[in-house]
Amino acid sequence: MQWQSSSVLIGLACLVLFVSGVAADGVNLENVENCKTMEVDFIVNEGDATAKAIEDDIVSDLAKVGIKVNTRLLSKDDLNEAMVNGDFNLAFSESWGAPYDPQAFAASWSTPDEAYHAALDGLEGPYTKEALSGMIQEALVKETEGEREEAWTEILEALHSQATELPFSGKRIPAVINKRLTGYIPGTQQFDYPAHTLRVLTGSKTVTVAPGAQTGLFSNETGVGRLDPHTYRPNEFFANNWVYDGLVEYGPSGTLIPALAESWTVADGDGEGQTYTFNLRKGVKFHDGAPWNCAAAKLNFDHVLAAPLVTADYHGWYALPGQIKDWKCIDDYTFVVETKGKYYPLLQELSFIRPLRMLSPNLFVGGLDSDPLTENSCHVGWGNVSDSGVTVQCAGIVGGGVSNGGTVSGTGRWIYDKTEMDGSAVKRVHFKINPDHWDAPSGQHPEELVVVHYPTHTEVKDALLDGSLDAVMGSGVLTEAEVAMLKSDHSDKLSVSLTEPIQNRIIVMNTAKAPTDSLQNRKVIIHSIDKASIIKKELAGLDEPAVSLFPKNAPYSGAHLTPLPDYDIEKARLLNCPV
């Protein structure tokens, strides 16, 4: 399927006449009387400052080719529900960045989560949604670099040919830090805020933080959620990352570095799979004093990988749970994992913030002897989960987690302390440094983090300027224009840093719902949106226009796909506003 039109038709497009007309927002409309009219439903996270800033510009651009946009600002939970149900034409989304791109993000499309699950339902053959799912599963077990590159290129070409999304911009993660602090080193993935790298130059060793949350602004309704490591929303990634460690950690430039495993080896097994042998770190204790050892590792794997929970509706949103064949202890500090095939992303996916981070045995119902079928650590709200004649009973964790007034315990760099409430609303959440962590900071490090809720982005900015807020870490808390302003006008009191683009901001188009079920209509939308101008205006030039689904530096994602999904108003008019 080619995006290009014939040179004759493109020439005709240049003959479009301009008529007088002004939209309600003041945008001059150019010959929209000739355009095929359509309405599209655009869903946006109401807490995401950047998405809201971009949205009205997109509405204006689409109006110029006769497309009316009905925007719905939704809470994060309502947004997720609309995505899963396919109740949208356009939806902001993001690739997940390192270490999730491309394999885990693509594997998730076959599960009822995020926008792509429903958005790909209308794809035409030969690259139907089912066919793509099979191609992705095959790509995950390719043995050589060349085979993987070829497999992923075919997948990306299939999506590109059917115009499934508009790649918008390469997203950079900001941090704005009061200059009474120094030394902050940005994390290597979204929601990874290494606050332990800070050093206190003056003032209190208690540091106040407004973090980028899944809701954009940190929510006073859900706070950090239950803060249990083996389930999902309303748990917040950043808080789970502070409290819990995994076997390995994702480091700079894609390196996998030791965490609860000091080292590991990989060997081919007797069949098609491989054997990973992890040498566990000794002398580590959970925050509640329980020892870290192989029995604790196996207990966590037993619960997360209980057979009914590796299905697509639960932990099977990524491929790793279905690729692990067996796990066992050789001795107190040697843990062995066997795979079904040569699953190349295994170590990367063990670095994910959830669901295979390690919870203290004391927090399992039944303790170290907890039965993964009758006392599983999955949230009680999941109820009983059955598959192939096996049933898991979800018992949650002891005390029900933070949101139920309980506590939690991992081995991470920060220890959950308490939550301050204002009536039924979360006001502040406190974390204390873990002085016994193997990577505990030295010198003038913070001793306490206090996560603070602010109702608006403006109040965050004002708190930074008056010194009552020490740090913003993450995106969606301030607009890019505010970040740029703070960097240029207030460098005397604030340090501003930005990561390299680690994920792409994209607009997903629902191929199964009219009018975006039409390939031509999807192309019209892509070519009507002047993303370079919007980025300059609304993102202060801090981001760069994206030309592909994944960042070009993501593994196996560097293919040059043409024609580029870029702004071309003549082509958009040709397709939707013929003379």
Side-chain angles (χ1 to χ4, degrees), residues 128-395:
T128 62
K129 179 180 175 181
E130 182 179 1
L132 273 174
S133 179
M135 292 163 62
I136 291 164
Q137 293 304 315
E138 290 177 8
L140 296 175
V141 291
K142 297 293 185 183
E143 293 190 39
T144 69
E145 294 286 324
E147 289 174 328
R148 295 170 196 163
E149 189 78 41
E150 182 179 356
W152 283 111
T153 296
E154 184 181 4
I155 292 165
L156 295 175
E157 285 176 341
L159 293 168
H160 180 78
S161 69
Q162 299 200 62
T164 51
E165 68 282 316
L166 170 63
F168 192 83
S169 65
K171 183 176 177 181
R172 306 172 73 186
I173 308 299
V176 184
I177 311 289
N178 189 296
K179 283 196 169 179
R180 78 177 191 86
L181 307 168
T182 189
Y184 182 72
I185 300 173
T188 56
Q189 57 177 297
Q190 187 184 27
F191 303 116
D192 175 15
Y193 311 143
H196 66 284
T197 63
L198 288 169
R199 295 297 178 269
V200 180
L201 297 177
T202 62
S204 172
K205 290 189 175 182
T206 293
V207 173
T208 53
V209 180
Q214 293 174 82
T215 49
L217 285 168
F218 177 67
S219 171
N220 68 339
E221 295 181 4
T222 57
V224 294
R226 297 178 301 274
L227 200 53
D228 55 340
H230 298 160
T231 59
Y232 304 95
R233 275 199 56 78
N235 293 335
E236 280 292 353
F237 280 97
F238 71 86
N240 278 49
N241 195 45
W242 285 342
V243 172
Y244 300 104
D245 291 316
L247 291 175
V248 299
E249 187 173 318
Y250 194 76
S253 303
T255 57
L256 278 302
I257 58 179
L260 286 171
E262 282 190 310
S263 62
W264 52 88
T265 59
V266 185
D268 289 343
D270 294 335
E272 297 180 353
Q274 293 180 306
T275 299
Y276 289 74
T277 301
F278 295 94
N279 302 306
L280 304 183
R281 194 178 295 274
K282 298 178 181 178
V284 175
K285 291 186 181 298
F286 289 90
H287 300 156
D288 60 10
W292 160 251
N293 52 31
C294 194
K298 184 177 183 300
L299 177 65
N300 278 266
F301 269 63
D302 287 345
H303 281 246
V304 173
L305 301 182
L309 298 181
V310 302
T311 59
D313 290 338
Y314 297 94
H315 301 315
W317 56 266
Y318 69 132
L320 179 142
Q323 289 290 336
I324 293 180
K325 176 182 178 181
D326 193 23
W327 54 96
K328 59 188 176 182
C329 292
I330 301 300
D331 56 41
D332 284 349
Y333 292 98
T334 308
F335 184 52
V336 174
V337 174
E338 296 180 15
T339 64
K340 298 175 182 177
K342 292 181 171 63
Y343 183 66
Y344 78 82
L346 184 132
L347 289 173
Q348 270 184 267
E349 297 190 351
L350 286 176
S351 74
F352 287 2
I353 294 174
R354 55 195 184 193
L356 274 172
R357 293 289 178 97
M358 300 298 162
L359 175 70
S360 168
N362 293 336
L363 271 293
F364 287 82
V365 175
L368 197 56
D369 296 322
S370 180
D371 188 320
L373 295 183
T374 62
E375 301 170 312
N376 198 280
S377 59
C378 50
H379 177 48
V380 292
W382 293 8
N384 293 346
V385 181
S386 298
D387 185 65
S388 301
V390 179
T391 297
V392 158
Q393 298 175 24
C394 292

Side-chain angles (χ1 to χ4, degrees), residues 1 13 80 96 108 158 161 190 213 237 248 251 276 325-326 464 496 501 543 556:
M1 186 74 66
N80 286 351
W96 293 345
S108 76
S161 69
Q190 187 184 27
F237 280 97
V248 299
Y276 289 74
K325 176 182 178 181
D326 193 23
L464 282 168
V496 177
D543 287 0
Y556 318 117

Side-chain angles (χ1 to χ4, degrees), residues 49-60:
T50 300
K52 290 194 295 184
I54 294 170
E55 174 269 334
D56 62 337
D57 297 280
I58 291 172
V59 171
S60 296

